[in-house]
Amino acid sequence: MRLSSSGRGLFSLLVVLATSNVLVARVQQGMVADNPTDLLRIGDKVIKINEAISMVQGFGNTFMVTTEEGNVIIDTSIAMHAGKHHQLLTAENKGPIKYIILTHAHGDHTGGVPLWKQAGTQIIAQKNHVEFVHYQTRLSGFYGKRNAAQFGLSVPPQRPWAGNYGGKIEPTILFDDKYEFTLGGVKFEVYRTPGETYDHATVWIPKYKAAFTGDNYYESFPNIYTLRGTEPRWALDYVNSLNKVLEFKPEIALPSHGRPINGNPEITRRLTRYRDAIQYVHDAVVKGLNDGKDVYTLMNEIKLPAALDIGESYGNLIWSIRGIYEGYVGWFDLNPATIYERPASSVYPEVVKLAGGPDAIAALAAQRVETGDAVAALHLTNIALTADPRHRRALEARLRALEILRSRCKNTNERGWLDYSIKVTTEMLDQKK
Ligand SMILES: [Zn+2]
């Protein structure tokens, strides 16, 4: 999952997150209780996986592998959870931290690096980590605003642009396809497994038959496109990387969000189904592209067969379909008007005038709210509010439409953006008083 990046942009965001009363309150209230990925829940105890592997759950999880020559940390959670994870795991075993392995550079995996790093600790990441950190830092202003919106935070102060290559690179060991080392007689293998990110890695410990799968598997359809904004996440990368994990025949799978999976039959069942769901959607989009179908047709048409329904509490099918479609071919939709720099909304005020003014459009939007078509109401209020951004009846219809969508919503990311839109609309209405 992605909350932010490493580097300076990450640090400033995490400071904001760590001090956000809003987010802390949401965590304490268990507002994500229906999310199987336990998104924001802070673990309060160490879970012993076996004699050597321990973990604490959080957003995301932190894992510790103990050996006779020192310990290895795999992922370090988000900064606001990392302190608790560090305290709990250190109480379990005070051995020196010889290695930190990062499954990828998202901030909910790198946030605890400063806490765990000791003199002489080696930090391992896949070599694309470097560009990924620079990319996040390059866009730190953009992501600062998007994170604030999605997670209900205040926008962090914008720092001066750090340039194209201004990220802080923590790893001391960068590998291409595979890196392995032995510590205290335990062999660790780290493989490049792109999926959620292009710097993604999986850790395999043959002695314990344990695979640390990062964010390439969690208990929901993956976030192949995230509303926060992302470069394309390649569906076939997920498929190939999940196949690589299955080839290990693990007896323990340890995702960086959610709970461990025990036993090879159950791991195989879940990862195979997950892989097949992604492959199914990918192939349906590719077929649709080749058949000349537009993206909205495919967002409506493609449904997972019941046997592959892996839930949509975090990732979502329709955004992923669009993510795959536009990842392959970009934004041009054969509509010649979109070749030019003038958006459709530039003619909305004329349409509103022809319709008799924003009152008429707002009334139609209110009607659509009544008949339960909240999305149509959002489109209509977009038109009315383009002509008159403070039109009260349009804002009221919009707020009701958003609240209806919010009441039906079962997806964490969708909920974040609906809450944000409700806040913005309410503020607009309050300004009129
Ligand atoms: Zn994550």
PDB file of all heavy atoms in Angstrom, residues 312-343:
ATOM      1  N   GLU A 312     -13.101  -5.997  -2.388  1.00  0.00           N
ATOM      2  CA  GLU A 312     -12.640  -4.698  -2.893  1.00  0.00           C
ATOM      3  C   GLU A 312     -12.581  -3.672  -1.768  1.00  0.00           C
ATOM      4  O   GLU A 312     -12.948  -2.519  -1.944  1.00  0.00           O
ATOM      5  CB  GLU A 312     -13.568  -4.216  -4.012  1.00  0.00           C
ATOM      6  CG  GLU A 312     -13.569  -5.136  -5.218  1.00  0.00           C
ATOM      7  CD  GLU A 312     -14.478  -4.639  -6.322  1.00  0.00           C
ATOM      8  OE1 GLU A 312     -14.208  -3.578  -6.895  1.00  0.00           O
ATOM      9  OE2 GLU A 312     -15.475  -5.334  -6.601  1.00  0.00           O
ATOM     10  N   SER A 313     -12.107  -4.096  -0.611  1.00  0.00           N
ATOM     11  CA  SER A 313     -12.088  -3.179   0.528  1.00  0.00           C
ATOM     12  C   SER A 313     -10.953  -2.167   0.440  1.00  0.00           C
ATOM     13  O   SER A 313     -10.996  -1.125   1.071  1.00  0.00           O
ATOM     14  CB  SER A 313     -11.986  -3.955   1.838  1.00  0.00           C
ATOM     15  OG  SER A 313     -10.769  -4.664   1.863  1.00  0.00           O
ATOM     16  N   TYR A 314      -9.941  -2.467  -0.348  1.00  0.00           N
ATOM     17  CA  TYR A 314      -8.823  -1.512  -0.495  1.00  0.00           C
ATOM     18  C   TYR A 314      -8.620  -1.145  -1.963  1.00  0.00           C
ATOM     19  O   TYR A 314      -8.859  -0.035  -2.373  1.00  0.00           O
ATOM     20  CB  TYR A 314      -7.544  -2.070   0.132  1.00  0.00           C
ATOM     21  CG  TYR A 314      -6.516  -0.983   0.305  1.00  0.00           C
ATOM     22  CD1 TYR A 314      -6.639  -0.051   1.328  1.00  0.00           C
ATOM     23  CD2 TYR A 314      -5.457  -0.851  -0.579  1.00  0.00           C
ATOM     24  CE1 TYR A 314      -5.737   0.991   1.466  1.00  0.00           C
ATOM     25  CE2 TYR A 314      -4.541   0.181  -0.445  1.00  0.00           C
ATOM     26  CZ  TYR A 314      -4.684   1.101   0.582  1.00  0.00           C
ATOM     27  OH  TYR A 314      -3.792   2.120   0.713  1.00  0.00           O
ATOM     28  N   GLY A 315      -8.187  -2.086  -2.789  1.00  0.00           N
ATOM     29  CA  GLY A 315      -8.184  -1.859  -4.226  1.00  0.00           C
ATOM     30  C   GLY A 315      -9.598  -2.031  -4.749  1.00  0.00           C
ATOM     31  O   GLY A 315     -10.501  -2.489  -4.041  1.00  0.00           O
ATOM     32  N   ASN A 316      -9.784  -1.660  -6.008  1.00  0.00           N
ATOM     33  CA  ASN A 316     -11.138  -1.619  -6.549  1.00  0.00           C
ATOM     34  C   ASN A 316     -11.067  -1.971  -8.031  1.00  0.00           C
ATOM     35  O   ASN A 316     -10.147  -1.561  -8.742  1.00  0.00           O
ATOM     36  CB  ASN A 316     -11.635  -0.191  -6.279  1.00  0.00           C
ATOM     37  CG  ASN A 316     -12.861   0.184  -7.043  1.00  0.00           C
ATOM     38  OD1 ASN A 316     -12.921   0.048  -8.260  1.00  0.00           O
ATOM     39  ND2 ASN A 316     -13.843   0.700  -6.335  1.00  0.00           N
ATOM     40  N   LEU A 317     -12.053  -2.744  -8.483  1.00  0.00           N
ATOM     41  CA  LEU A 317     -12.013  -3.253  -9.857  1.00  0.00           C
ATOM     42  C   LEU A 317     -12.068  -2.125 -10.892  1.00  0.00           C
ATOM     43  O   LEU A 317     -11.291  -2.099 -11.844  1.00  0.00           O
ATOM     44  CB  LEU A 317     -13.208  -4.190 -10.059  1.00  0.00           C
ATOM     45  CG  LEU A 317     -12.908  -5.486 -10.795  1.00  0.00           C
ATOM     46  CD1 LEU A 317     -11.833  -6.281 -10.085  1.00  0.00           C
ATOM     47  CD2 LEU A 317     -14.175  -6.317 -10.958  1.00  0.00           C
ATOM     48  N   ILE A 318     -12.988  -1.173 -10.720  1.00  0.00           N
ATOM     49  CA  ILE A 318     -13.173  -0.179 -11.793  1.00  0.00           C
ATOM     50  C   ILE A 318     -11.961   0.739 -11.929  1.00  0.00           C
ATOM     51  O   ILE A 318     -11.563   1.074 -13.039  1.00  0.00           O
ATOM     52  CB  ILE A 318     -14.490   0.627 -11.653  1.00  0.00           C
ATOM     53  CG1 ILE A 318     -14.575   1.354 -10.335  1.00  0.00           C
ATOM     54  CG2 ILE A 318     -15.694  -0.268 -11.880  1.00  0.00           C
ATOM     55  CD1 ILE A 318     -15.777   2.309 -10.266  1.00  0.00           C
ATOM     56  N   TRP A 319     -11.338   1.114 -10.815  1.00  0.00           N
ATOM     57  CA  TRP A 319     -10.141   1.962 -10.947  1.00  0.00           C
ATOM     58  C   TRP A 319      -8.991   1.157 -11.544  1.00  0.00           C
ATOM     59  O   TRP A 319      -8.157   1.688 -12.271  1.00  0.00           O
ATOM     60  CB  TRP A 319      -9.693   2.533  -9.603  1.00  0.00           C
ATOM     61  CG  TRP A 319     -10.777   3.162  -8.793  1.00  0.00           C
ATOM     62  CD1 TRP A 319     -11.889   3.811  -9.269  1.00  0.00           C
ATOM     63  CD2 TRP A 319     -10.881   3.193  -7.371  1.00  0.00           C
ATOM     64  NE1 TRP A 319     -12.655   4.244  -8.219  1.00  0.00           N
ATOM     65  CE2 TRP A 319     -12.065   3.879  -7.053  1.00  0.00           C
ATOM     66  CE3 TRP A 319     -10.081   2.710  -6.332  1.00  0.00           C
ATOM     67  CZ2 TRP A 319     -12.473   4.100  -5.729  1.00  0.00           C
ATOM     68  CZ3 TRP A 319     -10.475   2.937  -5.020  1.00  0.00           C
ATOM     69  CH2 TRP A 319     -11.660   3.617  -4.730  1.00  0.00           C
ATOM     70  N   SER A 320      -8.942  -0.134 -11.190  1.00  0.00           N
ATOM     71  CA  SER A 320      -7.860  -0.972 -11.717  1.00  0.00           C
ATOM     72  C   SER A 320      -8.032  -1.189 -13.218  1.00  0.00           C
ATOM     73  O   SER A 320      -7.050  -1.187 -13.965  1.00  0.00           O
ATOM     74  CB  SER A 320      -7.817  -2.314 -10.980  1.00  0.00           C
ATOM     75  OG  SER A 320      -7.487  -2.092  -9.620  1.00  0.00           O
ATOM     76  N   ILE A 321      -9.283  -1.386 -13.659  1.00  0.00           N
ATOM     77  CA  ILE A 321      -9.547  -1.548 -15.094  1.00  0.00           C
ATOM     78  C   ILE A 321      -9.061  -0.296 -15.833  1.00  0.00           C
ATOM     79  O   ILE A 321      -8.352  -0.373 -16.842  1.00  0.00           O
ATOM     80  CB  ILE A 321     -11.060  -1.786 -15.329  1.00  0.00           C
ATOM     81  CG1 ILE A 321     -11.439  -3.173 -14.812  1.00  0.00           C
ATOM     82  CG2 ILE A 321     -11.414  -1.625 -16.806  1.00  0.00           C
ATOM     83  CD1 ILE A 321     -12.939  -3.368 -14.612  1.00  0.00           C
ATOM     84  N   ARG A 322      -9.423   0.859 -15.309  1.00  0.00           N
ATOM     85  CA  ARG A 322      -8.984   2.102 -15.945  1.00  0.00           C
ATOM     86  C   ARG A 322      -7.461   2.266 -15.855  1.00  0.00           C
ATOM     87  O   ARG A 322      -6.824   2.751 -16.792  1.00  0.00           O
ATOM     88  CB  ARG A 322      -9.685   3.295 -15.276  1.00  0.00           C
ATOM     89  CG  ARG A 322      -9.428   4.575 -16.001  1.00  0.00           C
ATOM     90  CD  ARG A 322     -10.354   5.683 -15.535  1.00  0.00           C
ATOM     91  NE  ARG A 322     -10.095   6.865 -16.332  1.00  0.00           N
ATOM     92  CZ  ARG A 322     -10.801   7.975 -16.262  1.00  0.00           C
ATOM     93  NH1 ARG A 322     -11.805   8.060 -15.427  1.00  0.00           N
ATOM     94  NH2 ARG A 322     -10.506   9.007 -17.017  1.00  0.00           N
ATOM     95  N   GLY A 323      -6.894   1.848 -14.708  1.00  0.00           N
ATOM     96  CA  GLY A 323      -5.434   1.928 -14.541  1.00  0.00           C
ATOM     97  C   GLY A 323      -4.698   1.073 -15.561  1.00  0.00           C
ATOM     98  O   GLY A 323      -3.691   1.489 -16.139  1.00  0.00           O
ATOM     99  N   ILE A 324      -5.210  -0.144 -15.784  1.00  0.00           N
ATOM    100  CA  ILE A 324      -4.572  -1.043 -16.758  1.00  0.00           C
ATOM    101  C   ILE A 324      -4.740  -0.459 -18.172  1.00  0.00           C
ATOM    102  O   ILE A 324      -3.789  -0.384 -18.946  1.00  0.00           O
ATOM    103  CB  ILE A 324      -5.181  -2.464 -16.664  1.00  0.00           C
ATOM    104  CG1 ILE A 324      -4.849  -3.093 -15.306  1.00  0.00           C
ATOM    105  CG2 ILE A 324      -4.656  -3.343 -17.805  1.00  0.00           C
ATOM    106  CD1 ILE A 324      -5.665  -4.345 -14.979  1.00  0.00           C
ATOM    107  N   TYR A 325      -5.973  -0.026 -18.471  1.00  0.00           N
ATOM    108  CA  TYR A 325      -6.295   0.511 -19.805  1.00  0.00           C
ATOM    109  C   TYR A 325      -5.388   1.701 -20.130  1.00  0.00           C
ATOM    110  O   TYR A 325      -4.688   1.724 -21.149  1.00  0.00           O
ATOM    111  CB  TYR A 325      -7.769   0.934 -19.801  1.00  0.00           C
ATOM    112  CG  TYR A 325      -8.372   1.256 -21.151  1.00  0.00           C
ATOM    113  CD1 TYR A 325      -9.282   0.389 -21.745  1.00  0.00           C
ATOM    114  CD2 TYR A 325      -8.066   2.440 -21.816  1.00  0.00           C
ATOM    115  CE1 TYR A 325      -9.878   0.687 -22.965  1.00  0.00           C
ATOM    116  CE2 TYR A 325      -8.645   2.746 -23.049  1.00  0.00           C
ATOM    117  CZ  TYR A 325      -9.554   1.856 -23.617  1.00  0.00           C
ATOM    118  OH  TYR A 325     -10.130   2.152 -24.825  1.00  0.00           O
ATOM    119  N   GLU A 326      -5.387   2.676 -19.237  1.00  0.00           N
ATOM    120  CA  GLU A 326      -4.620   3.899 -19.516  1.00  0.00           C
ATOM    121  C   GLU A 326      -3.126   3.686 -19.300  1.00  0.00           C
ATOM    122  O   GLU A 326      -2.306   4.394 -19.881  1.00  0.00           O
ATOM    123  CB  GLU A 326      -5.170   5.058 -18.683  1.00  0.00           C
ATOM    124  CG  GLU A 326      -6.600   5.382 -19.121  1.00  0.00           C
ATOM    125  CD  GLU A 326      -7.204   6.614 -18.468  1.00  0.00           C
ATOM    126  OE1 GLU A 326      -6.562   7.224 -17.593  1.00  0.00           O
ATOM    127  OE2 GLU A 326      -8.340   6.960 -18.850  1.00  0.00           O
ATOM    128  N   GLY A 327      -2.785   2.701 -18.479  1.00  0.00           N
ATOM    129  CA  GLY A 327      -1.368   2.344 -18.346  1.00  0.00           C
ATOM    130  C   GLY A 327      -0.812   1.863 -19.680  1.00  0.00           C
ATOM    131  O   GLY A 327       0.325   2.155 -20.041  1.00  0.00           O
ATOM    132  N   TYR A 328      -1.645   1.135 -20.416  1.00  0.00           N
ATOM    133  CA  TYR A 328      -1.210   0.617 -21.715  1.00  0.00           C
ATOM    134  C   TYR A 328      -1.243   1.675 -22.816  1.00  0.00           C
ATOM    135  O   TYR A 328      -0.333   1.738 -23.643  1.00  0.00           O
ATOM    136  CB  TYR A 328      -2.090  -0.561 -22.141  1.00  0.00           C
ATOM    137  CG  TYR A 328      -1.587  -1.904 -21.661  1.00  0.00           C
ATOM    138  CD1 TYR A 328      -2.426  -2.785 -20.987  1.00  0.00           C
ATOM    139  CD2 TYR A 328      -0.274  -2.314 -21.903  1.00  0.00           C
ATOM    140  CE1 TYR A 328      -1.961  -4.026 -20.551  1.00  0.00           C
ATOM    141  CE2 TYR A 328       0.196  -3.540 -21.463  1.00  0.00           C
ATOM    142  CZ  TYR A 328      -0.651  -4.390 -20.792  1.00  0.00           C
ATOM    143  OH  TYR A 328      -0.193  -5.604 -20.371  1.00  0.00           O
ATOM    144  N   VAL A 329      -2.322   2.485 -22.850  1.00  0.00           N
ATOM    145  CA  VAL A 329      -2.503   3.318 -24.049  1.00  0.00           C
ATOM    146  C   VAL A 329      -2.699   4.806 -23.766  1.00  0.00           C
ATOM    147  O   VAL A 329      -2.889   5.587 -24.705  1.00  0.00           O
ATOM    148  CB  VAL A 329      -3.682   2.797 -24.906  1.00  0.00           C
ATOM    149  CG1 VAL A 329      -3.402   1.384 -25.381  1.00  0.00           C
ATOM    150  CG2 VAL A 329      -5.010   2.860 -24.162  1.00  0.00           C
ATOM    151  N   GLY A 330      -2.663   5.213 -22.497  1.00  0.00           N
ATOM    152  CA  GLY A 330      -2.783   6.640 -22.212  1.00  0.00           C
ATOM    153  C   GLY A 330      -4.211   7.149 -22.301  1.00  0.00           C
ATOM    154  O   GLY A 330      -5.166   6.384 -22.268  1.00  0.00           O
ATOM    155  N   TRP A 331      -4.364   8.476 -22.472  1.00  0.00           N
ATOM    156  CA  TRP A 331      -5.655   9.120 -22.218  1.00  0.00           C
ATOM    157  C   TRP A 331      -6.501   9.377 -23.462  1.00  0.00           C
ATOM    158  O   TRP A 331      -7.682   9.678 -23.340  1.00  0.00           O
ATOM    159  CB  TRP A 331      -5.423  10.451 -21.498  1.00  0.00           C
ATOM    160  CG  TRP A 331      -4.445  11.338 -22.218  1.00  0.00           C
ATOM    161  CD1 TRP A 331      -3.110  11.429 -21.951  1.00  0.00           C
ATOM    162  CD2 TRP A 331      -4.703  12.212 -23.319  1.00  0.00           C
ATOM    163  NE1 TRP A 331      -2.513  12.316 -22.827  1.00  0.00           N
ATOM    164  CE2 TRP A 331      -3.469  12.817 -23.670  1.00  0.00           C
ATOM    165  CE3 TRP A 331      -5.854  12.552 -24.045  1.00  0.00           C
ATOM    166  CZ2 TRP A 331      -3.362  13.725 -24.722  1.00  0.00           C
ATOM    167  CZ3 TRP A 331      -5.741  13.460 -25.087  1.00  0.00           C
ATOM    168  CH2 TRP A 331      -4.499  14.040 -25.410  1.00  0.00           C
ATOM    169  N   PHE A 332      -5.984   9.313 -24.671  1.00  0.00           N
ATOM    170  CA  PHE A 332      -6.786   9.735 -25.834  1.00  0.00           C
ATOM    171  C   PHE A 332      -7.912   8.738 -26.083  1.00  0.00           C
ATOM    172  O   PHE A 332      -7.697   7.539 -26.225  1.00  0.00           O
ATOM    173  CB  PHE A 332      -5.920   9.889 -27.081  1.00  0.00           C
ATOM    174  CG  PHE A 332      -6.729  10.370 -28.275  1.00  0.00           C
ATOM    175  CD1 PHE A 332      -7.522  11.499 -28.190  1.00  0.00           C
ATOM    176  CD2 PHE A 332      -6.705   9.668 -29.479  1.00  0.00           C
ATOM    177  CE1 PHE A 332      -8.282  11.938 -29.269  1.00  0.00           C
ATOM    178  CE2 PHE A 332      -7.454  10.101 -30.572  1.00  0.00           C
ATOM    179  CZ  PHE A 332      -8.245  11.236 -30.458  1.00  0.00           C
ATOM    180  N   ASP A 333      -9.145   9.273 -26.165  1.00  0.00           N
ATOM    181  CA  ASP A 333     -10.345   8.422 -26.197  1.00  0.00           C
ATOM    182  C   ASP A 333     -11.075   8.489 -27.543  1.00  0.00           C
ATOM    183  O   ASP A 333     -12.262   8.162 -27.617  1.00  0.00           O
ATOM    184  CB  ASP A 333     -11.297   8.837 -25.070  1.00  0.00           C
ATOM    185  CG  ASP A 333     -11.668  10.317 -25.152  1.00  0.00           C
ATOM    186  OD1 ASP A 333     -11.232  11.001 -26.108  1.00  0.00           O
ATOM    187  OD2 ASP A 333     -12.403  10.794 -24.267  1.00  0.00           O
ATOM    188  N   LEU A 334     -10.415   8.926 -28.596  1.00  0.00           N
ATOM    189  CA  LEU A 334     -10.971   9.041 -29.957  1.00  0.00           C
ATOM    190  C   LEU A 334     -11.946  10.211 -30.102  1.00  0.00           C
ATOM    191  O   LEU A 334     -12.489  10.419 -31.182  1.00  0.00           O
ATOM    192  CB  LEU A 334     -11.657   7.748 -30.429  1.00  0.00           C
ATOM    193  CG  LEU A 334     -10.799   6.488 -30.496  1.00  0.00           C
ATOM    194  CD1 LEU A 334     -11.609   5.352 -31.143  1.00  0.00           C
ATOM    195  CD2 LEU A 334      -9.521   6.708 -31.280  1.00  0.00           C
ATOM    196  N   ASN A 335     -12.183  10.937 -29.033  1.00  0.00           N
ATOM    197  CA  ASN A 335     -13.047  12.113 -29.108  1.00  0.00           C
ATOM    198  C   ASN A 335     -12.179  13.290 -29.568  1.00  0.00           C
ATOM    199  O   ASN A 335     -11.279  13.715 -28.838  1.00  0.00           O
ATOM    200  CB  ASN A 335     -13.640  12.364 -27.717  1.00  0.00           C
ATOM    201  CG  ASN A 335     -14.446  13.648 -27.650  1.00  0.00           C
ATOM    202  OD1 ASN A 335     -14.522  14.406 -28.622  1.00  0.00           O
ATOM    203  ND2 ASN A 335     -15.024  13.893 -26.485  1.00  0.00           N
ATOM    204  N   PRO A 336     -12.437  13.838 -30.766  1.00  0.00           N
ATOM    205  CA  PRO A 336     -11.531  14.883 -31.272  1.00  0.00           C
ATOM    206  C   PRO A 336     -11.485  16.116 -30.374  1.00  0.00           C
ATOM    207  O   PRO A 336     -10.479  16.819 -30.352  1.00  0.00           O
ATOM    208  CB  PRO A 336     -12.095  15.212 -32.663  1.00  0.00           C
ATOM    209  CG  PRO A 336     -13.482  14.672 -32.677  1.00  0.00           C
ATOM    210  CD  PRO A 336     -13.510  13.522 -31.718  1.00  0.00           C
ATOM    211  N   ALA A 337     -12.549  16.364 -29.605  1.00  0.00           N
ATOM    212  CA  ALA A 337     -12.524  17.542 -28.720  1.00  0.00           C
ATOM    213  C   ALA A 337     -11.405  17.435 -27.689  1.00  0.00           C
ATOM    214  O   ALA A 337     -10.864  18.450 -27.240  1.00  0.00           O
ATOM    215  CB  ALA A 337     -13.875  17.699 -28.027  1.00  0.00           C
ATOM    216  N   THR A 338     -11.036  16.204 -27.311  1.00  0.00           N
ATOM    217  CA  THR A 338     -10.015  16.060 -26.257  1.00  0.00           C
ATOM    218  C   THR A 338      -8.603  16.246 -26.783  1.00  0.00           C
ATOM    219  O   THR A 338      -7.646  16.226 -26.013  1.00  0.00           O
ATOM    220  CB  THR A 338     -10.126  14.692 -25.542  1.00  0.00           C
ATOM    221  OG1 THR A 338      -9.888  13.654 -26.510  1.00  0.00           O
ATOM    222  CG2 THR A 338     -11.480  14.495 -24.908  1.00  0.00           C
ATOM    223  N   ILE A 339      -8.474  16.419 -28.108  1.00  0.00           N
ATOM    224  CA  ILE A 339      -7.145  16.712 -28.655  1.00  0.00           C
ATOM    225  C   ILE A 339      -6.706  18.123 -28.244  1.00  0.00           C
ATOM    226  O   ILE A 339      -5.525  18.426 -28.176  1.00  0.00           O
ATOM    227  CB  ILE A 339      -7.161  16.595 -30.198  1.00  0.00           C
ATOM    228  CG1 ILE A 339      -7.426  15.148 -30.616  1.00  0.00           C
ATOM    229  CG2 ILE A 339      -5.858  17.086 -30.814  1.00  0.00           C
ATOM    230  CD1 ILE A 339      -7.612  14.982 -32.121  1.00  0.00           C
ATOM    231  N   TYR A 340      -7.695  18.970 -27.944  1.00  0.00           N
ATOM    232  CA  TYR A 340      -7.406  20.393 -27.704  1.00  0.00           C
ATOM    233  C   TYR A 340      -7.406  20.716 -26.213  1.00  0.00           C
ATOM    234  O   TYR A 340      -7.923  19.943 -25.401  1.00  0.00           O
ATOM    235  CB  TYR A 340      -8.415  21.246 -28.486  1.00  0.00           C
ATOM    236  CG  TYR A 340      -8.363  20.887 -29.963  1.00  0.00           C
ATOM    237  CD1 TYR A 340      -9.285  20.004 -30.519  1.00  0.00           C
ATOM    238  CD2 TYR A 340      -7.320  21.341 -30.766  1.00  0.00           C
ATOM    239  CE1 TYR A 340      -9.198  19.613 -31.837  1.00  0.00           C
ATOM    240  CE2 TYR A 340      -7.229  20.952 -32.096  1.00  0.00           C
ATOM    241  CZ  TYR A 340      -8.169  20.087 -32.626  1.00  0.00           C
ATOM    242  OH  TYR A 340      -8.060  19.690 -33.920  1.00  0.00           O
ATOM    243  N   GLU A 341      -6.852  21.880 -25.898  1.00  0.00           N
ATOM    244  CA  GLU A 341      -6.629  22.219 -24.488  1.00  0.00           C
ATOM    245  C   GLU A 341      -7.883  22.770 -23.803  1.00  0.00           C
ATOM    246  O   GLU A 341      -7.817  23.177 -22.654  1.00  0.00           O
ATOM    247  CB  GLU A 341      -5.464  23.225 -24.365  1.00  0.00           C
ATOM    248  CG  GLU A 341      -5.720  24.607 -24.926  1.00  0.00           C
ATOM    249  CD  GLU A 341      -5.455  24.712 -26.422  1.00  0.00           C
ATOM    250  OE1 GLU A 341      -5.567  23.692 -27.136  1.00  0.00           O
ATOM    251  OE2 GLU A 341      -5.150  25.830 -26.885  1.00  0.00           O
ATOM    252  N   ARG A 342      -9.009  22.757 -24.521  1.00  0.00           N
ATOM    253  CA  ARG A 342     -10.231  23.310 -23.935  1.00  0.00           C
ATOM    254  C   ARG A 342     -11.126  22.177 -23.420  1.00  0.00           C
ATOM    255  O   ARG A 342     -11.586  21.342 -24.189  1.00  0.00           O
ATOM    256  CB  ARG A 342     -10.961  24.110 -25.013  1.00  0.00           C
ATOM    257  CG  ARG A 342     -12.089  24.911 -24.459  1.00  0.00           C
ATOM    258  CD  ARG A 342     -12.639  25.877 -25.477  1.00  0.00           C
ATOM    259  NE  ARG A 342     -13.909  26.360 -24.989  1.00  0.00           N
ATOM    260  CZ  ARG A 342     -14.730  27.119 -25.681  1.00  0.00           C
ATOM    261  NH1 ARG A 342     -14.399  27.483 -26.909  1.00  0.00           N
ATOM    262  NH2 ARG A 342     -15.859  27.521 -25.169  1.00  0.00           N
ATOM    263  N   PRO A 343     -11.384  22.143 -22.110  1.00  0.00           N
ATOM    264  CA  PRO A 343     -12.166  21.025 -21.553  1.00  0.00           C
ATOM    265  C   PRO A 343     -13.663  21.181 -21.840  1.00  0.00           C
ATOM    266  O   PRO A 343     -14.149  22.281 -22.113  1.00  0.00           O
ATOM    267  CB  PRO A 343     -11.903  21.135 -20.052  1.00  0.00           C
ATOM    268  CG  PRO A 343     -11.612  22.575 -19.824  1.00  0.00           C
ATOM    269  CD  PRO A 343     -10.927  23.078 -21.073  1.00  0.00           C
TER     270      PRO A 343
END
